[in-house]
Amino acid sequence: MRKLTLAMAVLGLSLSGSSFATTEIQWWHAMGGANGEELNKIVKEFNDSQDKYKVDPVFKGNYTETMTSAIAAFRAHKQPAIVQVFEVGTASMMAAKGAIYPVYKLMKDTHEPFNPKDYLSSVTGYYSDLQGNMLSMPFNSSTPVLYYNKDMFKKAGISSPPKTWEEVAADSKKLLASGAKCGFTTGWQSWVQLENLSARHNVPFASNDDGFSGIKGTKLLFNGPLQVMHITKMHEWQKSGIFSYGGRRSDSVPMFYSQQCAMYTGSSSAYGGMVKNAKFDFGVSSLPYWASEVKKPNNTIIGGASLWVLRGKSKEQYKAVAAFLHFLSTPKIQAEWHQFTGYLPITHAAYELTKKEGFYKTHPGTDVAVLQMTASKPTVNSRGLRLGNFVQIRDVINSALESVWSGQATPQAALNTAVERGDVLLRKFARAHQ
Amino acid sequence: MSVYFPQKKLPYLLVLPQLIITAIFFLWPAGQAFKQAFYREDAFGLSQTFIGFGNFIDLFQDPLYYKSMGVTMVFSFSVAFFGIAIALWLAVMADRVIRGKMVYQTLLVWPYAVAPALAGVLWWILFDPNIGPIALFLDRIGIHWNHFLNGDQAMILVVIAATWKQISYNFLFFLAGLQAIPRSLIEAAAIDGASPFKRFWDIVFPLLSPTTFFLLVVNLVYAFFDTFGVIDTTTQGGPDGSTNTLVYKVFKDGFIGLDSGGSAAQSIVLMAIVGLMTVVQFRFIERKVQY
């Protein structure tokens, strides 16, 4: 009889054990194409490495679609455990205190090894609260750099890429004289030519420390002298052919591929596309700054996305999330992701590992972004931006800049309008989060 | 008595599936939108405040909303006008063709099978300032095409993409309408010496007016509501809101901007506008239609 009870108990244990054997969690992401395949590979590696947890990656479309469907799912209580949210959605996620499980807290609650110092501070700064606690896990971060066509530079007799905007103008003139159609074009105009411009020259983009110290009363400040000067210059350059506008996001990059423009300022994560599409020798250099404004520029700020953990899951599932986030941050996985995609390595160890493997030697220019990000300690103005309704504010800025490029408004007037319209959006956000 | 009893219920039973569908897919969401229009809510729905007409007041104080209304009017009437005019012309031509009639008619209907989003992508590629063949051709004849910057060109692009698709639909109706016109009328006029143009204008066009009127209503509703895909895949409302129609703005503010209250208020106003427009059309234009 005793044997039987024992057998029953063992059976019961093993049964309950088996039904809890694998805890499944969903990860909604926005990585399509080659990056998506790499992501699936990493997840498979995690799933194969242990048998307690299983991560189920779901591709949800572009960044906006992924974020909005996660929010809709949350409202319907069908949210995933992890969602990838782009950097402009950061403030919205952060303000939704009842919806998110801050990563630092999750790691502490689940006793998963986690040291915030392992991560690049210029990356984590974007996703940390004022006390320096990491609220989301950085995953794919990029930063703007300058790509240049080495063949066209050689033809124009220029030996090294421009470091400053003054040099960009001078080099462009030489390039135009040697037959180029345009000097440079830019991707992500708001991010590169206003947000990063402000950070690099240590000028605020918005009040309340770029929105970091609070939602209430945050106002946009990007219609200051530096930004107006820069946009005015770009408008002048546009008339003389030094600069050519090619559309929003990275719509302009074909102008670089087709060798119309000799330079392109865009995301460091465009590297993979460059390798594939550029039928010429190209180089990567740091994002230019105005030598007339600063002696030494600040670090640039990041773009890309981070992983947010959503509330409403079981304790066991959060253990799975923590284990997975830990796995993602290991040097091996980070280095693999960084080398494949061109996104920044988010930990110091991943950078060192990549360096040791000799990747930067065989792929010159891939370390520019990292060096540029880590060259200086982030200041209040170069930690990043934390603005509510930022997706729409970007849209307002794009519209304003387009009205400059099409000659409908002066730079000062256009930026003033953008600030005014953007402030309305910020006030709306503040009212909804009182 | 009991024989008649089921028949009282039967009609209701038969329309029930339709009623259920209407209730679930129209009345319930519309009711939700109506409720949401009076609340201010954060994106995640964690907090909700009743603000009365606050969302509507915000809306009618927003200069961008009036701009969007203007854009919608220009867009919708252009799409309806060109869609109807070109389809009518094509139908009259196709009706006259004797040899290979079926081929023409079939080919002209094809674009209707293309999804709006795909139609948008097709035209977007054709007009892309860097790689589009049409844009490159225009550049060669001295027209600098860049719908990323030029609001009027962006509007032309979305009107072309939206109209192209609708032409097929209109074409089918006009062709059917033309075939319903008795040959004897036209032949009699021809014997009396009326020119082909006069025959068309005095006989065919008035006889087609019920079709034209029907298409006008349908096309306007199409341009107001169903052109979302075309705009989303081409201009996304830009540059500077010059193709941001009301329905696209509802989507943009609601789903991208996550402002559910403001977006709900807009959709209620939009519903009222289209309702009003349809009433006006039936009251004033229909009188001139000869059935």
Side-chain angles (χ1 to χ4, degrees):
Chain A
M1 194 60 203
R2 222 198 249 158
K3 258 185 192 165
L4 189 65
T5 4
L6 197 70
M8 290 287 275
V10 169
L11 185 71
L13 266 179
S14 64
L15 272 181
S16 66
S18 71
S19 65
F20 287 104
T22 48
T23 309
E24 270 200 48
I25 51 161
Q26 277 205 343
W27 172 20
W28 288 9
H29 66 85
M31 300 275 99
N35 289 356
E37 282 162 33
E38 178 66 18
L39 182 148
N40 287 335
K41 211 182 107 198
I42 290 174
V43 170
K44 196 175 173 298
E45 227 168 291
F46 173 74
N47 288 341
D48 293 346
S49 71
Q50 40 73 44
D51 51 10
K52 266 161 84 187
Y53 312 121
K54 188 169 174 287
V55 175
D56 179 18
V58 184
F59 174 59
K60 278 282 166 184
N62 66 30
Y63 281 138
T64 314
E65 286 158 1
T66 305
M67 179 175 170
T68 50
S69 52
I71 289 176
F74 183 85
R75 297 179 72 132
H77 308 292
K78 297 260 190 297
Q79 71 273 28
I82 310 174
V83 59
Q84 182 189 18
V85 175
F86 58 164
E87 92 280 17
V88 290
T90 302
S92 300
M93 296 303 290
M94 220 168 255
K97 288 203 175 64
I100 57 155
Y101 196 162
V103 162
Y104 79 93
K105 208 161 169 286
L106 169 87
M107 295 309 222
K108 210 169 101 190
D109 293 350
T110 53
H111 309 292
E112 194 68 40
F114 174 67
N115 184 4
K117 292 217 165 60
D118 291 345
Y119 301 82
L120 303 186
S121 59
S122 42
V123 173
T124 53
Y126 210 106
Y127 305 115
S128 300
D129 64 14
L130 279 182
Q131 288 74 45
N133 297 316
M134 272 166 72
L135 302 181
S136 66
M137 179 61 88
F139 176 59
N140 57 320
S141 300
S142 55
T143 205
V145 290
L146 175 93
Y147 295 91
Y148 64 102
N149 184 323
K150 282 188 177 167
D151 295 352
M152 288 168 87
F153 267 58
K154 206 179 276 169
K155 199 178 156 201
I158 310 163
S159 52
S160 63
K163 288 253 172 304
T164 64
W165 286 113
E166 286 91 343
E167 287 169 19
V168 168
D171 288 350
S172 293
K173 277 179 197 147
K174 287 184 206 160
L175 285 158
L176 291 172
S178 73
K181 261 183 142 178
C182 103
F184 79 99
T185 184
T186 187
W188 303 95
Q189 50 184 351
S190 167
W191 183 52
V192 179
Q193 307 297 347
L194 282 175
E195 296 163 32
N196 268 291
L197 174 90
S198 308
R200 212 144 165 69
H201 297 86
N202 207 20
V203 169
F205 185 82
S207 66
N208 280 347
D209 302 332
D210 281 345
F212 272 62
S213 35
I215 296 173
K216 218 177 156 198
T218 303
K219 280 188 155 61
L220 298 170
L221 298 171
F222 59 76
N223 56 346
L226 170 83
Q227 294 93 340
V228 172
M229 180 278 282
H230 183 67
I231 300 303
T232 309
K233 277 285 177 202
M234 283 184 67
H235 186 43
E236 281 169 22
W237 291 339
Q238 191 196 12
K239 284 184 223 156
S240 55
I242 292 174
F243 164 66
S244 183
Y245 178 65
R248 295 183 178 191
R249 296 175 297 274
S250 53
D251 285 351
S252 53
V253 68
M255 295 167 79
F256 183 71
Y257 294 156
S258 66
Q259 311 208 46
Q260 285 180 56
C261 299
M263 288 174 273
Y264 170 72
T265 51
S267 167
S268 58
S269 66
Y271 186 84
M274 291 287 167
V275 172
K276 211 167 139 195
N277 291 298
K279 305 268 183 295
F280 49 85
D281 201 11
F282 74 89
V284 188
S285 182
S286 57
L287 185 72
Y289 60 94
W290 285 99
S292 58
E293 299 289 325
V294 281
K295 275 208 185 74
K296 189 179 171 296
N298 275 349
N299 61 299
T300 47
I301 53 177
I302 56 168
S306 68
L307 307 182
W308 289 85
V309 183
L310 296 177
R311 291 272 183 193
K313 299 286 163 190
S314 72
K315 223 173 163 184
E316 202 54 36
Q317 281 173 313
Y318 284 126
K319 271 192 182 156
V321 172
F324 181 59
L325 293 183
H326 173 74
F327 173 80
L328 279 183
S329 307
T330 53
K332 184 181 157 287
I333 295 298
Q334 263 308 308
E336 193 182 317
W337 175 251
H338 160 55
Q339 292 169 22
F340 183 85
T341 60
Y343 283 113
L344 295 164
I346 55 165
T347 60
H348 295 288
Y351 171 66
E352 292 302 330
L353 180 65
T354 308
K355 205 158 124 188
K356 218 174 79 194
E357 288 172 357
F359 182 80
Y360 298 128
K361 285 220 176 74
T362 47
H363 299 77
T366 45
D367 58 344
V368 167
V370 193
L371 296 174
Q372 179 179 294
M373 288 291 299
T374 51
S376 61
K377 203 171 171 289
T379 70
V380 196
N381 296 321
S382 69
R383 263 186 306 195
L385 301 168
R386 191 157 302 160
L387 304 172
N389 282 335
F390 200 9
V391 184
Q392 290 139 295
I393 294 176
R394 277 253 177 101
D395 193 46
V396 164
I397 294 174
N398 279 326
S399 296
L401 290 177
E402 281 166 352
S403 70
V404 174
W405 311 144
S406 63
Q408 286 162 348
T410 63
Q412 180 77 62
L415 292 181
N416 287 349
T417 317
V419 164
E420 210 176 285
R421 285 187 194 170
D423 281 345
V424 173
L425 291 165
L426 284 177
R427 271 203 300 277
K428 241 184 178 172
F429 185 77
R431 272 194 321 220
H433 292 93
Q434 265 162 5
Chain B
M1 283 306 275
S2 63
V3 179
Y4 299 102
F5 186 65
Q7 277 183 355
K8 262 190 186 167
K9 278 188 176 171
L10 189 65
Y12 295 103
L13 207 68
L14 290 175
V15 288
L16 194 65
Q18 182 62 35
L19 285 179
I20 290 175
I21 287 173
T22 313
I24 294 177
F25 292 102
F26 178 70
L27 292 177
W28 184 64
Q32 288 283 317
F34 196 79
K35 185 180 152 238
Q36 267 185 341
F38 297 95
Y39 283 88
R40 179 184 295 135
E41 206 178 12
D42 70 301
F44 285 83
L46 297 166
S47 68
Q48 231 185 16
T49 341
F50 181 77
I51 52 161
F53 285 94
N55 287 323
F56 292 93
I57 294 168
D58 278 357
L59 199 59
F60 288 110
Q61 282 176 348
D62 184 1
L64 291 177
Y65 191 61
Y66 294 102
K67 185 175 176 184
S68 175
M69 271 192 190
V71 164
T72 310
M73 291 302 155
V74 172
F75 173 75
S76 304
F77 282 95
S78 307
V79 169
F81 174 77
F82 289 112
I84 289 174
I86 297 171
L88 180 60
W89 181 71
L90 287 172
V92 170
M93 292 299 153
D95 193 39
R96 277 197 189 166
V97 172
I98 295 165
R99 196 176 289 172
K101 201 169 187 162
M102 279 308 287
V103 177
Y104 283 103
Q105 291 175 359
T106 312
L107 286 181
L108 281 167
V109 175
W110 272 10
Y112 195 61
V114 178
L118 280 182
V121 172
L122 285 176
W123 287 101
W124 179 72
I125 293 172
L126 286 172
F127 276 98
D128 184 275
N130 297 319
I131 53 166
I134 298 183
L136 294 179
F137 169 75
L138 287 173
D139 213 33
R140 204 172 299 160
I141 60 168
I143 301 167
H144 186 66
W145 184 274
N146 189 348
H147 58 253
F148 292 127
L149 278 184
N150 188 318
D152 296 334
Q153 291 180 350
M155 176 59 95
I156 293 172
L157 175 67
V158 289
V159 167
I160 290 177
T163 309
W164 176 71
K165 242 195 76 56
Q166 199 60 10
I167 285 174
S168 306
Y169 180 84
N170 297 350
F171 171 79
L172 270 182
F173 278 85
F174 276 130
L175 197 67
L178 283 170
Q179 282 164 357
I181 294 173
R183 290 278 139 197
S184 55
L185 279 178
I186 296 166
E187 279 160 11
I191 292 166
D192 288 346
S195 67
F197 181 75
K198 203 158 173 57
R199 268 179 266 156
F200 172 77
W201 208 240
D202 285 349
I203 298 171
V204 177
F205 190 67
L207 284 172
L208 275 179
S209 60
T211 311
T212 316
F213 172 68
F214 164 76
L215 287 177
L216 180 70
V217 177
V218 170
N219 277 287
L220 280 178
V221 173
Y222 159 80
F224 259 89
F225 286 110
D226 290 349
T227 46
F228 168 80
V230 169
I231 292 175
D232 194 45
T233 48
T234 50
T235 59
Q236 275 136 36
D240 199 11
S242 52
T243 52
N244 200 10
T245 59
L246 289 171
V247 71
Y248 196 70
K249 196 169 151 57
V250 168
F251 160 77
K252 223 172 167 178
D253 293 359
F255 289 90
I256 298 179
L258 302 168
D259 173 15
S260 56
S263 173
Q266 285 179 41
S267 54
I268 285 173
V269 175
L270 183 60
M271 211 147 60
I273 292 175
V274 175
L276 199 74
M277 240 173 48
T278 314
V279 169
V280 167
Q281 280 176 334
F282 275 100
R283 288 205 61 141
F284 297 100
I285 303 178
E286 205 195 7
R287 283 187 191 163
K288 294 187 179 146
V289 174
Q290 308 171 9
Y291 284 107

